[in-house]
Amino acid sequence: MRREHMSSKIYATITGVGHYAPEKVLTNDDLEKMVDTSDEWIVTRTGIRERHIAAPDEFTSHMAIAAARKALAHAGVAPEEVEAIYVATCTPDMVFPSTACLVQAGLGIKNAYGYDVSSACAGFVMALDTASAVISAGRIKTALVIGAEKLSAVTDWTSRNTCILFGDGAGAVVLQASDKPGMLSSYLGVDGNLSDILYLPAGGSKLPASEETVRERLHTVHMAGRETFKIAVNTMVDAAQTAVARAGLQIQDIDIIVPHQANHRIVDAVATRLGEGVRDIVFMNLERYGNTSAASIPIALSEAVASGQVKSGDNILMVSFGGGLSWGGGVWVWP
Ligand code: UT7
């Protein structure tokens, strides 16, 4: 009996989820007044109708803390129980300290370590994978995994190619050790050969801030939209199929898919390629948030749970794609 106990698997399970969106809403009509675009173009090409925009004095850490508070309350976990904080973000408050440190201080968490995971839109699935592995290894019992972004701070508001896409917000989950599943599988990948189709050129060691970088708007997201679109579909299909296979399941066994909310046409193309009827189990809230990068999956998961669309025992597939290039998928059982 003792040997059985010692060899029993430790799963990481999601026991709480929460999200936060800034108060200000920027509609497509508002964007029409800023750049040469139209509500019709944006809705047809992306599915986005509005997005939330953080206040000037509201930063990524504030949104992360707000989402984390809700996730902790949902899980019934006190801040002092948290042993690790993972913040997926490509828009940290500062280059360092990590946003995770600011979250630790903001929530009054004691005795935890934390760091940021920088993998653009795929950051949340990457962070979930690491946190889950640390829990399954028996190193910690409770972790906070947060996706938080203030993309409005790195958006070129004069470029219609990008400014219509992005929004701000945060989502968080509490992960806890359990003898019941849990994370069933994970599949992650990167390809730096394609780093220049979606990137933020300046502000790092390559192009530190200068008058020129500011003048050339190099502190904002640069993207080759069409190329990104095509690769997003292929990699998300691959990530979804591989994650499902690694879980020992078929796509028909998945109850709900929570994809990165990039563009409704990307998600529709992925769903079509995954099989008949798959579109019906995809959760979307892109219309009201735009693309919030690493925050998009946890915000969507939180809304899916709050709306009652996730039931105990459901198999959830999360799948993402982003700059890097980077991608990932994971299958989870809802406890
Ligand atoms: O998290 C991952 C991050 N990135 C993505 O997911 C983005 C992936 N890519 C996309 O979602 C799409 O490529 C976009 C939504 C960005 C663009 O849609 P598209 O169907 O690929 O349009 P396009 O770039 O091929 O542009 C078509 C036309 C162009 O005009 P011409 O050359 O045909 O005359 C653009 O100049 O639409 C024009 N255009 C716009 N028109 C009105 C581009 N942006 C806009 C705009 N409003 N905002």
Side-chain angles (χ1 to χ4, degrees):
M1 284 304 282
R2 183 164 166 75
R3 274 181 59 188
E4 234 174 63
H5 173 73
M6 296 213 15
S7 64
S8 69
K9 185 170 164 55
I10 305 172
Y11 287 96
T13 54
I14 299 173
T15 56
V17 58
H19 70 280
Y20 169 84
E23 205 178 313
K24 183 180 169 187
V25 171
L26 186 75
T27 65
N28 291 349
D29 286 349
D30 296 329
L31 282 166
E32 280 183 16
K33 295 178 192 110
M34 297 160 63
V35 289
D36 180 16
T37 190
S38 67
D39 174 57
E40 199 262 333
W41 191 96
I42 301 171
V43 172
T44 314
R45 301 280 178 140
T46 72
I48 301 166
R49 291 184 189 275
E50 57 188 40
R51 64 291 286 147
H52 292 260
I53 302 293
D57 60 351
E58 186 175 39
F59 312 129
T60 297
S61 64
H62 298 145
M63 294 186 274
I65 289 166
R69 268 194 225 286
K70 291 183 185 172
L72 288 169
H74 185 221
V77 166
E80 51 269 28
E81 291 176 61
V82 174
E83 294 160 277
I85 306 157
Y86 298 87
V87 180
T89 185
C90 59
T91 50
D93 288 22
M94 294 167 264
V95 173
F96 71 88
S98 70
T99 314
C101 295
L102 306 174
V103 170
Q104 174 274 324
L107 290 173
I109 294 172
K110 310 260 188 279
N111 304 318
Y113 70 85
Y115 53 87
D116 291 1
V117 175
S118 172
S119 198
C121 306
F124 185 74
V125 288
M126 300 263 178
L128 266 188
D129 177 81
T130 305
S132 167
V134 175
I135 286 174
S136 289
R139 300 269 296 278
I140 59 168
K141 288 194 168 59
T142 304
L144 254 179
V145 184
I146 305 167
E149 302 281 13
K150 184 173 176 176
L151 291 172
S152 61
V154 294
T155 297
D156 179 353
W157 291 104
T158 67
S159 165
R160 69 177 186 175
N161 294 324
T162 51
C163 77
I164 51 131
L165 292 173
F166 303 116
D168 301 334
V173 301
V174 175
L175 284 193
Q176 290 187 279
S178 171
D179 54 2
K180 298 185 188 66
M183 182 191 239
L184 296 184
S185 73
S186 179
Y187 167 68
L188 308 171
V190 295
D191 184 357
N193 291 305
L194 296 168
S195 59
D196 60 353
I197 67 163
L198 180 53
Y199 70 128
L200 200 158
S205 60
K206 183 177 176 182
L207 283 177
S210 67
E211 280 179 25
E212 192 192 343
T213 61
V214 173
R215 195 171 51 245
E216 301 291 328
R217 299 183 193 281
L218 298 180
H219 296 276
T220 58
V221 176
H222 284 51
M223 181 183 71
R226 259 185 216 183
E227 288 81 345
T228 306
F229 189 108
K230 279 185 226 146
I231 299 166
V233 174
N234 290 335
T235 50
M236 280 174 78
V237 169
D238 176 49
Q241 287 173 335
T242 310
V244 170
R246 283 188 179 180
L249 300 175
Q250 311 271 330
I251 194 72
Q252 293 76 17
D253 301 319
I254 299 297
D255 299 290
I256 182 162
I257 300 177
V258 182
H260 170 46
Q261 311 281 314
N263 179 321
H264 86 99
R265 289 188 297 138
I266 292 179
V267 177
D268 282 349
V270 171
T272 304
R273 295 247 311 260
L274 288 177
E276 214 184 311
V278 170
R279 184 65 191 82
D280 301 339
I281 59 162
V282 176
F283 184 86
M284 294 298 286
N285 63 3
L286 165 91
E287 169 172 284
R288 288 175 289 112
Y289 289 94
N291 179 346
T292 58
S293 189
S296 91
I297 288 183
I299 293 175
L301 179 66
S302 176
E303 286 206 332
V305 171
S307 69
Q309 289 183 59
V310 182
K311 294 173 195 66
S312 180
D314 274 359
N315 291 322
I316 306 172
L317 168 66
M318 301 182 215
V319 61
S320 193
F321 161 88
L325 298 176
S326 56
W327 59 88
V331 178
W332 292 75
V333 179
W334 192 251

